[in-house]
Amino acid sequence: MPVQHQGVTYRAADAHAHIYPGKIAEKATASVGDFYSIPMQNVGLPHVLAQRGGEAGIDRFLVCSVATKVEQVRSINQFIQQKCEKYPQFIGLAAWHQDVEDIQGEMDDIQARGLRGIKLHPDFQQFFIDDPRMLPVYEEAHRRGLPVLFHTGDSRTDYSSPYRLMRVIEKIPEFTCIAAHLGGYSEWKEARRELSGTNVYIDTSSSLFKVSREEAEENIAHFGVDHTMFGTDFPMWQPKEELERFFTLGYSQEENQAMLYDNFARLFHLD
């Protein structure tokens, strides 16, 4: 059943969800919760995402996982590929690591697996977004039409600060990327001040629980309704509850549909 709100039916995609193999799902989920001191509301298993999201009316999911060691990249990407084949509603992002040496070969493998972009979490992976080693990666992702989803912002560290992403965009002006968490988790004001760009998208994940309605609206206005996508950051939050938080923002039916699905579909070339 599609998402229903105040008598209106919406198609919805979750533009930010994490999944893990069964043998590590509980440990990986708990580790993320410990990092942010936030109790996790689910276990990051693919079937749980499909079930909980489906119950909320979501029928597309951008799924990813993060490589904290370079030797994890291929196994994670194989896992994401397999789950996208099993769950056709999943669209997969590839893992990457800053120590990958064969950029062309890894990109070839990513595309051969049918993965549609790359996910990076600089705070977990402990590299700066604007690390010179990563510029060739961003350039090649851009050349191949692979959007990069960044965890962006954390007031406790400087790895993923919005200004660092802006330094990349200044070097690659047409770089297509997603600055997660309304442009910068716990650095929402800094995101508005430091970050802009015609191909910068944001998602709403792991932000609506904390920011005021006014601040959320300021960030969405800064980046544009047409560049904002709904996301849950599963397993951090329940899809149904995140949809309820999203609708409290009070946007129009047309704006809601853009952020819930249309922008996502345009970015990832879906029907």
Side-chain angles (χ1 to χ4, degrees), residues 189-234:
K189 182 178 180 180
E190 288 78 3
R192 297 192 301 274
R193 184 181 66 238
E194 303 286 352
L195 181 58
S196 62
T198 56
N199 285 350
V200 177
Y201 288 75
I202 61 171
D203 66 42
T204 66
S205 68
S206 283
S207 294
L208 302 181
F209 79 103
K210 193 169 186 179
V211 300
S212 67
R213 173 178 172 177
E214 291 73 23
E215 188 159 32
E217 290 174 345
E218 286 182 41
N219 281 53
I220 291 170
H222 176 80
F223 292 99
V225 167
D226 61 341
H227 280 66
T228 301
M229 299 182 292
F230 171 78
T232 67
D233 212 3
F234 177 92

Side-chain angles (χ1 to χ4, degrees), residues 51-83:
Q51 178 183 348
R52 299 280 168 80
E55 290 169 351
I58 299 169
D59 68 3
R60 291 280 189 160
F61 304 85
L62 192 64
V63 297
C64 59
S65 193
V66 175
T68 55
K69 299 178 181 179
V70 67
E71 57 266 26
Q72 296 172 338
V73 169
R74 285 286 175 100
S75 61
I76 289 174
N77 291 343
Q78 182 181 33
F79 166 73
I80 297 292
Q81 175 191 5
Q82 290 171 344
K83 296 310 170 185

Side-chain angles (χ1 to χ4, degrees), residues 99-113:
D99 292 335
V100 167
E101 294 182 357
D102 183 4
I103 294 173
Q104 296 289 337
E106 208 61 56
M107 292 281 184
D108 287 345
D109 183 74
I110 285 169
Q111 292 192 299
R113 295 182 186 280

